[in-house]
Every structure is written in C-alpha cells, then in structure tokens.
Amino acid sequence: MPRAEDDKGLATADARYWMGVLSNYRTPNRLRSVTELLITALPLIALWTAAWFAFWLGHAWASLLIAIPAGGFVVRLFMIQHDCGHGTFFPGRRANDWVGRIIGVLTLTPYDWWRRTHAIHHATSGNLDRRGIGDIDTLTVREYQARSTWGRLQYRLYRHPLVMFVLGPAYLFFLRHRLPFGLMRGGWQPWVSTMATNAGIAVIVAALMWLIGIQAFLVVHLPIMMLAAMAGVWLFYVQHQFERTVWEHDERWTLHQAALYGSSHYDLPAWLHWFTANIGIHHVHHLSSRIPYYRLPVVLRDHPELREFGRITLPESLRCVRLVLWDESQRRLVSFRDAGAGRRPR
C-alpha cells in the first residue's frame, strides 16, 4: 500500500498529479442526479409507511426489522445532502442548496451550518495544529500521556465504542445539531439555517404524531434515525481513523497529501457502496470533492492504481475501533495498550 512518508516529495507530486486527472470527472448529470434522488426518497417513504402499517397491525417487531433498510436509505439521503454541500449534485448552486436544505430537515442536519463545518474538515483534515472542527478528536501519544488522570479518563470515555458509536450519534443528531456549536461567531447564516431546520423538524414531527399517534411515531421513526446516525458516524470514523492514515504538523502538512494518504478507500461490498453512495471511495473524494458520488466508481474503473491507496476491507475496518492515539514516532494510529498510554513522558 502506498505510504506518504516513503518519499514526501514524491507523495505530494503524486497527489497533485491526481488532482489534475480527476478534474475530468467533475461534471454532474442532471437527469442522473434526479434519478438518484427519486430512487432514494421513494423507497424510504415506502419503507417508513410499511413500518407504520406493521406497527398498526400489532407487529412492532416487524416495524423494527424494516427500520434496518430504511436507515440505509436515510444514510443514502444524507450522502445526497453531502454532495449538495460540495456543489456537486446539480450543476447550479441554487438547486444544490435548496435540495440540501430540504434533505437537512429529514436528516436532522442543518445544511448551511453543516456545509461550513464540513468545508473546514476538508481544509484541515490530518493537520495536527488545526484539529477541533468537523473531525474526530484525536490526541497524540505524548498529548495523552501529559494529561491528568481525569483528562485521560475523559478521553478514554470519549473513545469508548459505546460512546463513539451509540451515545455519540444520538447526541450529535438529536441535540448538537439543534444549535450551531463551533460557529457561534460565524454570522447569521448558521443560526438561520439551524433554526429553520429545527422549525421544519418540529412541523413534521407534530404532523406525524397527530396523524399516527405519539407511540407509533416513536416506535417507527426513532429506530430508523438512530440506525442511520450510528452508520453515519461509523463511516465518518473509518474514513480517517485507520492505522496508516496521515497526520502532520502545519509546517509539513499539505492539502493534497492529506487527501490522498490520510483518507481511506473503504472497500465495501457493492450493495453497501450503493447504500452509502460510494463515500467509501473517500481518498478520491478528498482529492477532488467536486466529483458527484455516482462518478467515483468510474474513477476507480479508469484508474485502478488508485484502489490501493488507504484500502481497508470491512473486516479490517472493525479493528480500527481500538486505534485511538497518533504515534508521531511510528507515524501510525495505535491503541492505548500499544502506546503504553498509561505512562507519563519523562
């Protein structure tokens, strides 16, 4: 697997070369985009209705089973919103923004606020001196060891799988997205976006509760959204939290190098690639975020040499959960145990 530290100059040249190659794949197809939206939204509506009907018939267990594929379609809908945020789903910015805003009500994600924080993520990913917005909090081994006992415990709790992949998604989508934290001084747009999204959510929730009842709404809708939130956080985690990712201090960090070598190619089965809108081809996405998601597989087809950059399979990705600290000497993510993280530096 190609590594950035093998030759930093060569790695940076490679990344810039690929930027030029990938510019040929940027143009969205309006008909294809509309089709992608329809084959995502319509099955989601059908599954939601089927889940409610199963509950109405007294089969709550069937409703919970239906929540699994329905959650997959919510993830796919979020990925369309993600493309809108990059201005890649439709040719025009207005269409991207308004479709993204409407989807944001359904995914519980304020579009304009999220778009700004996600842009910061793309501009700073892998930069040790610019952590904190739009990323997973990651400490170096030395930073962790220098913390107090309470500080180390806090980080361990944050990185615990139950917090990271269950409690964290619930907090993020149900609570944190209700206020534009991180951009409190970013002007009026994040506030308007967030409050408008909250109002839209309130209207839909109130209408559905009035139509089908509070209990039915909670049994049908909450599992779908919770499963989608957990899957979304997992995908975001794996895309940058793998062993041979790249972190650099500001003086050595470059955007293109971090994109190509610091983002994974999550090589999933074809049906999971479909549900996740090819977001697993994340290294290509970070190199050229203006490529519509339905053209990312075409890039790998035309340039198969890109397949091996940051490639991890589904079984391999499960081992990424234990990788929690950046070891600057080994230039890889390590576990608490591998780092001897309970010891303070001398």
Side-chain angles (χ1 to χ4, degrees):
M1 181 184 299
R3 291 299 314 279
E5 65 268 25
D6 294 339
D7 187 323
K8 184 175 185 299
L10 179 60
T12 302
D14 282 347
R16 289 176 177 167
Y17 162 77
W18 284 114
M19 279 288 292
V21 170
L22 297 178
S23 64
N24 298 317
Y25 297 85
R26 289 182 169 187
T27 305
N29 181 299
R30 183 179 283 103
L31 179 60
R32 175 68 183 273
S33 296
V34 171
T35 302
E36 291 286 326
L37 184 59
L38 291 175
I39 63 175
T40 303
L42 295 180
L44 175 59
I45 294 170
L47 286 168
W48 198 100
T49 304
W52 166 76
F53 190 63
F55 177 83
W56 183 71
L57 291 175
H59 304 303
W61 61 270
S63 178
L64 293 175
L65 286 178
I66 295 171
I68 298 173
F73 279 100
V74 173
V75 170
R76 201 170 197 273
L77 198 62
F78 182 88
M79 296 309 170
I80 292 176
Q81 178 185 349
H82 168 266
D83 263 29
C84 289
H86 284 291
T88 63
F89 197 65
F90 293 108
R93 177 172 177 176
R94 179 172 294 183
N96 280 303
D97 286 348
W98 281 106
V99 170
R101 287 168 184 144
I102 293 169
I103 294 176
V105 175
L106 304 177
T107 61
L108 310 180
T109 306
Y111 171 78
D112 294 285
W113 171 77
W114 176 86
R115 182 181 62 178
R116 187 174 297 188
T117 59
H118 192 66
I120 294 172
H121 161 69
H122 270 260
T124 61
S125 180
N127 190 318
L128 286 169
D129 298 313
R130 299 178 66 189
R131 288 168 283 175
I133 296 181
D135 56 13
I136 302 292
D137 289 348
T138 305
L139 296 179
T140 68
V141 172
R142 183 170 293 275
E143 287 170 341
Y144 176 85
Q145 292 174 339
R147 284 192 166 195
S148 65
T149 300
W150 172 239
R152 294 199 300 272
L153 177 60
Q154 285 180 303
Y155 187 71
R156 280 181 174 271
L157 287 173
Y158 169 75
R159 281 289 192 154
H160 192 281
L162 178 63
V163 174
M164 182 65 66
F165 303 114
V166 180
L167 300 180
Y171 164 73
L172 180 65
F173 284 90
F174 297 140
L175 295 177
R176 188 177 179 185
H177 282 179
R178 308 287 62 84
L179 285 173
F181 294 120
L183 291 175
M184 304 296 279
R185 299 179 181 178
W188 58 268
Q189 191 172 38
W191 282 96
V192 172
S193 171
T194 303
M195 295 305 115
T197 301
N198 291 344
I201 293 170
V203 169
I204 291 175
V205 169
L208 289 174
M209 285 184 173
W210 179 76
L211 285 170
I212 67 174
I214 295 175
Q215 183 182 11
F217 174 80
L218 294 177
V219 172
V220 171
H221 198 65
L222 279 186
I224 293 174
M225 297 309 299
M226 190 62 204
L227 287 171
M230 292 166 61
V233 169
W234 170 255
L235 288 168
F236 186 77
Y237 181 93
V238 171
Q239 287 157 7
H240 299 283
Q241 299 285 313
F242 58 102
E243 183 177 6
R244 294 297 182 176
T245 187
V246 169
W247 286 88
E248 294 281 8
H249 285 286
D250 202 43
E251 64 273 11
R252 289 177 53 87
W253 180 88
T254 65
L255 178 66
H256 303 131
Q257 180 193 12
L260 182 58
Y261 295 94
S263 307
S264 67
H265 171 206
Y266 197 13
D267 198 359
L268 295 167
W271 66 275
L272 281 177
H273 268 305
W274 189 88
F275 270 106
T276 59
N278 303 312
I279 198 63
I281 310 174
H282 209 62
H283 60 317
V284 177
H285 168 65
H286 263 256
L287 265 178
S288 185
S289 61
R290 297 300 301 272
I291 298 177
Y293 71 73
Y294 47 78
R295 302 200 71 186
L296 290 172
V298 180
V299 173
L300 293 188
R301 183 198 67 193
D302 293 348
H303 306 282
E305 58 271 38
L306 280 172
R307 292 180 179 274
E308 296 308 312
F309 285 87
R311 181 178 177 270
I312 54 174
T313 63
L314 183 57
E316 290 171 343
S317 71
L318 300 179
R319 295 194 289 270
C320 294
V321 176
R322 59 188 290 272
L323 304 176
V324 293
L325 296 167
W326 177 249
D327 190 317
E328 294 184 89
S329 60
Q330 299 185 63
R331 300 189 55 75
R332 66 187 181 96
L333 283 174
V334 298
S335 67
F336 288 119
R337 177 177 294 182
D338 291 341
R343 299 192 299 268
R344 289 178 177 270
R346 297 178 180 178

